[in-house]
Structure formats: structure tokens, C-alpha cells
Amino acid sequence: MIYIGSHISSSKGYAAMGRQALKLGADTFAFFTRNPRGGSAKEIRQEDVDKFLKIAEEGGFGKLVAHAPYTLNACATKEEVRTFAREAFADDLRRMEYIPGNYYNFHPGSHVGQGSEEGIRLISEMLNENLKKEQTTTVLLETMAGKGSEIGREFEELKRIYDGVKYPEKLRVCFDTCHVSDSGLDLSGEGFENVIDQFDKTIGKDQIAVFHINDSKNVIGAGKDRHENLGFGTIGFETLNHIVHHKDFEQVPKILETPYIKAEDSKKSYPPYKYEIEMLKQEQFDPQMKEKILEDNQK
Ligand code: FE
Ligand code: FE
Ligand code: ZN
């Protein structure tokens, strides 16, 4: 059983996300817990959650992967930014208990010149304030591209966050293929086995809870973090498909965060996920995918 899904808009609530996932041929999905660039959160309705839980059970969904807002930075220099991070994190974990036993993924943070050691200390401190023994949600540290002063470019940094928390059993990792490639590691061919070996020695490969499956617009080591559609970037379909179907990670949900396809002469753009999920299920790259999406949507 392989769980594949994509990012889905949470603006219409849980049941709507569940129905959308089914339409895409997905059996897991990711969503923002609140406005990704602002921070405000909508109230959760139990009735909506109950409807969703039924859809998820009937659809045989794997674990869901909630994503914290991009503005959440536990190791910012500004105190009000760190305060927002703590409060949003706490509130998100409280709200996650409406859908018990799923994942909450966040970018560890950017130390903005304070150095990675101080950054890691502040991140661990926020986690220690918020991770509770009784919570059912597992918090995921995402592997990062290393843009600016991002922490999590090196597996070692994630390991040091684990080492600084009181309940490391509440933590696991979200492995983003675009970010890892941008951080300087080659995922192609034997490269993936070497990267996983390195991860295994540093953190333990059983700690990978989710893969973000994204191609990259940039070369290995670019440190840029710009996602590309599967097979259209520098990582390539073969490598991404190999990761998705890898025996060691069969139960691990795979989430796509690839860009929408833009029509050339209009401002409209269309989600690629149904097509990309199908390519991964068929294990077959379609070089005409972008044209097909535009055609199907402009009919
Ligand atoms: Fe992310
Ligand atoms: Fe990601
Ligand atoms: Zn990214």
C-alpha cells in the first residue's frame, strides 16, 4: 500500500478536503492549519470533522500532514515573532486533536544571524514548552534547502533538535526531496541509498514519517528552494518514482507540493496533482503533462 496525496486548500474545511482528495485519486493529503503567510486560523466545527473522518475511513486514508504557517519562526531575533511561533504552535497542536493521531509539520526556523546553535536552542525550547506526553499528534521537522539562515539543511541539525527535547518520541522528520537536493545531496541512482544511509546513521531512517515529493528548478546544492513539477526539474521522474516506491518506505505518506500549471496568455493556473499522482501510480512519466492539463482545463 502506497499513500500518495498533495497539498489541498483548507478554506472549505475538512470534509471538503476529504472529497477533494478522493477526486485527485489521493489517499492522504497536506493542508495549512491557518493562513500560511499571515497566521489567522478558522474555527473547527466538530460536525465537519465527523463528516471528514467518515470519508477518510471509507477512502482508506493514511495519516494526514498538516503544515504550520511559513511565518512561524521559533528562532527569530524579534521577540514578537517568537511569541507568535509559540502561540500558533500551541494553538495548532490543540486544534490537531480534533483529528487525533496525525502529523503536524513545521520548518524548524531561520536563525537570522544568531548562529545555528542558538537557533537550535530556541527551537528545542519552543518544542519543550508545547510537546505534551498525552498528545496524539506527531510533530515533524522538515529537511530544509538552506536558503538564508534556515536550520535543517543538515540532518545533524535536526538530530540536535531531537537531542534538546524532553519528548523526542513526539518528533519525526518530513523529508522534502527538493530541499534535500537543494541542500547539496544527490538523490539519483545509488545517491538515494547513500543519503538514506547518512540519514540512518544520524537520526535513524525509521524517523522519516513523510516524504514531500517535489522536483527542483535548481541544481544540486543551489540552496534556493523552488519546487518544480515531477519530471520537469533537475531531480527527474525516475529518481522521484524510485523514492515513492522504495521498499523501506512503503507505509510512509508521499505528499506533492509542486507548482500549479500557468496558462501562457492568461493569469489562470491549474493544479497538477491528479496528473502527477496518476504518473506515480503508473510509474510512467508523461512529458506532455503540462499541455494536457491546460487542454483539459480550457475545454
Ligand atoms: Fe514545508
Ligand atoms: Fe516541503
Ligand atoms: Zn520548499
Short mmCIF file of all heavy atoms in Angstrom, two decimals, residues 70 107 142 144-145 176 178-179 214 225-227 257, ligand 3:
data_model
loop_
_atom_site.label_atom_id
_atom_site.label_comp_id
_atom_site.label_asym_id
_atom_site.label_seq_id
_atom_site.Cartn_x
_atom_site.Cartn_y
_atom_site.Cartn_z
N TYR A 70 4.21 29.49 7.18
CA TYR A 70 5.60 29.82 6.85
C TYR A 70 6.16 30.89 7.78
O TYR A 70 7.37 31.01 7.95
CB TYR A 70 5.70 30.34 5.41
CG TYR A 70 5.41 29.30 4.37
CD1 TYR A 70 4.59 29.57 3.28
CD2 TYR A 70 5.98 28.03 4.46
CE1 TYR A 70 4.34 28.61 2.31
CE2 TYR A 70 5.72 27.06 3.50
CZ TYR A 70 4.91 27.36 2.42
OH TYR A 70 4.66 26.42 1.47
N HIS A 107 8.64 24.06 9.54
CA HIS A 107 10.01 24.39 9.18
C HIS A 107 10.71 24.77 10.47
O HIS A 107 10.25 25.68 11.17
CB HIS A 107 10.04 25.55 8.19
CG HIS A 107 9.39 25.23 6.87
ND1 HIS A 107 9.23 26.15 5.88
CD2 HIS A 107 8.87 24.07 6.41
CE1 HIS A 107 8.63 25.57 4.84
NE2 HIS A 107 8.40 24.32 5.14
N GLU A 142 10.93 19.49 9.19
CA GLU A 142 11.16 19.33 7.75
C GLU A 142 12.63 19.55 7.41
O GLU A 142 13.27 20.48 7.93
CB GLU A 142 10.26 20.30 6.96
CG GLU A 142 10.36 20.10 5.46
CD GLU A 142 9.21 20.72 4.66
OE1 GLU A 142 8.19 21.11 5.27
OE2 GLU A 142 9.35 20.80 3.43
N MET A 144 15.42 21.07 5.23
CA MET A 144 15.35 22.35 4.51
C MET A 144 16.45 22.51 3.46
O MET A 144 17.46 21.82 3.50
CB MET A 144 15.40 23.51 5.52
CG MET A 144 14.26 23.52 6.54
SD MET A 144 12.60 23.36 5.83
CE MET A 144 12.43 24.92 4.99
N ALA A 145 16.21 23.45 2.54
CA ALA A 145 17.16 23.68 1.44
C ALA A 145 18.39 24.45 1.90
O ALA A 145 19.44 24.40 1.26
CB ALA A 145 16.46 24.46 0.32
N ASP A 176 11.92 16.36 2.46
CA ASP A 176 11.49 17.05 1.24
C ASP A 176 12.57 16.87 0.17
O ASP A 176 13.70 17.32 0.35
CB ASP A 176 11.26 18.54 1.56
CG ASP A 176 10.66 19.30 0.39
OD1 ASP A 176 11.19 19.20 -0.73
OD2 ASP A 176 9.66 20.02 0.61
N CYS A 178 13.02 18.13 -2.85
CA CYS A 178 13.55 19.36 -3.43
C CYS A 178 14.53 20.00 -2.47
O CYS A 178 15.64 20.41 -2.85
CB CYS A 178 12.42 20.33 -3.79
SG CYS A 178 12.98 22.00 -4.20
N HIS A 179 14.14 20.07 -1.20
CA HIS A 179 15.00 20.72 -0.21
C HIS A 179 16.32 19.97 -0.04
O HIS A 179 17.39 20.58 0.02
CB HIS A 179 14.29 20.81 1.15
CG HIS A 179 13.05 21.64 1.11
ND1 HIS A 179 12.22 21.80 2.20
CD2 HIS A 179 12.48 22.36 0.11
CE1 HIS A 179 11.21 22.59 1.87
NE2 HIS A 179 11.34 22.93 0.61
N ASN A 214 8.88 16.51 -4.47
CA ASN A 214 8.93 17.68 -5.35
C ASN A 214 10.16 17.59 -6.22
O ASN A 214 11.22 17.20 -5.74
CB ASN A 214 9.05 18.97 -4.52
CG ASN A 214 7.93 19.13 -3.52
OD1 ASN A 214 6.75 19.03 -3.88
ND2 ASN A 214 8.26 19.36 -2.26
N ASP A 225 15.36 26.44 -2.95
CA ASP A 225 14.01 26.02 -2.60
C ASP A 225 12.95 26.53 -3.56
O ASP A 225 12.08 27.32 -3.19
CB ASP A 225 13.68 26.45 -1.15
CG ASP A 225 12.36 25.88 -0.67
OD1 ASP A 225 11.72 25.11 -1.42
OD2 ASP A 225 11.95 26.22 0.45
N ARG A 226 13.05 26.11 -4.83
CA ARG A 226 11.97 26.38 -5.77
C ARG A 226 11.52 25.06 -6.39
O ARG A 226 12.29 24.40 -7.09
CB ARG A 226 12.42 27.39 -6.84
CG ARG A 226 12.71 28.76 -6.19
CD ARG A 226 12.71 29.87 -7.20
NE ARG A 226 11.48 29.93 -7.96
CZ ARG A 226 11.42 30.36 -9.24
NH1 ARG A 226 12.51 30.72 -9.86
NH2 ARG A 226 10.26 30.42 -9.85
N HIS A 227 10.27 24.70 -6.08
CA HIS A 227 9.76 23.39 -6.49
C HIS A 227 9.41 23.39 -7.97
O HIS A 227 9.03 24.41 -8.53
CB HIS A 227 8.50 23.04 -5.70
CG HIS A 227 8.71 23.02 -4.22
ND1 HIS A 227 7.72 22.66 -3.33
CD2 HIS A 227 9.78 23.33 -3.46
CE1 HIS A 227 8.18 22.74 -2.10
NE2 HIS A 227 9.43 23.15 -2.14
N GLU A 257 3.99 18.89 -3.47
CA GLU A 257 3.84 20.34 -3.27
C GLU A 257 4.38 21.05 -4.50
O GLU A 257 5.14 22.01 -4.41
CB GLU A 257 4.67 20.81 -2.07
CG GLU A 257 4.44 20.10 -0.78
CD GLU A 257 5.44 20.56 0.28
OE1 GLU A 257 6.66 20.33 0.12
OE2 GLU A 257 5.02 21.17 1.25
ZN ZN B 3 10.04 24.06 -0.36
#
